[in-house]
Amino acid sequence: MSLITADELIPKLIEASSDNRIIIAMAGPPASGKTTCSLDLCHRLNELESGICAVLSADGFHYDDMYLNQKGWRERKGAPHTFDVDGLFYVLQRLKLNTEEQIAIPVFDRKLEISRAAAASISDTAKIIIVEGNYLLLKEHPWTKLNEHFDLSIMLQVSERTLTDRLEKRWRDFGFSDKQVNLKLDVNDLLNVKLVCGKSAAADYIIDNESEFEK
């Protein structure tokens, strides 16, 4: 496990994917900048070689609110048990095999708070797949099942104070009141932050994301 910058990471990914498709796990607590970081890396890699990289977000595997309400889990949406981990596992399996011209993937719509099935696709020409999500390295079943599909892992490192600030801004930008923001943080978000930081397996690389990328 070593500290690395995005600039240092790019040539390592290109070298590792020279013979076969590789799948990268990019994990980190909520608001650590996983989406921004993964999309930035993907863009920079595709500038070097068109179509070499694609991103898959674990957020696309959120259970729908209808199901969460049935289970009594709606208040904890975003916690580990509110994701279809098996669904993610089998998509990763298909991506690893790379025997299909296109593989449809779900995309989470933050404005509507729903996952859109088959909203995007990944081509068989993409040699580097960056999977981003909070719990990809979580040392708890069923998340540990995903490990067999990852060739490399990255953890984004951000202080709890910065994460809290970013999360507060996120919910205020969605129009939440101070009371609603505090409830979101106390009942869900900060619990998930502590879980990711305390119970994730060691990554191959760490990116200090305090300021390099913002959520």
Side-chain angles (χ1 to χ4, degrees), residues 138-183:
L138 193 65
K139 294 185 291 185
E140 291 184 359
H141 182 78
W143 291 92
T144 49
K145 293 171 52 177
L146 306 180
N147 294 339
E148 66 183 80
H149 296 312
F150 298 138
D151 300 288
L152 197 71
S153 59
I154 301 162
M155 176 64 75
L156 300 188
Q157 180 177 276
V158 181
S159 69
E160 188 169 332
R161 179 65 263 168
T162 297
L163 293 172
T164 302
D165 290 343
R166 291 180 186 177
L167 287 164
E168 287 178 352
K169 182 179 185 303
R170 173 189 292 178
W171 296 123
R172 288 200 174 92
D173 287 347
F174 278 110
F176 284 50
S177 67
D178 287 347
K179 183 178 179 180
Q180 289 172 315
V181 169
N182 290 333
L183 185 63

Side-chain angles (χ1 to χ4, degrees), residues 97-114:
L97 290 171
N98 198 19
T99 58
E100 304 166 66
E101 186 175 344
Q102 298 281 339
I103 294 177
I105 60 171
V107 176
F108 189 69
D109 188 326
R110 282 196 178 276
K111 291 183 179 179
L112 297 179
E113 281 286 303
I114 61 170

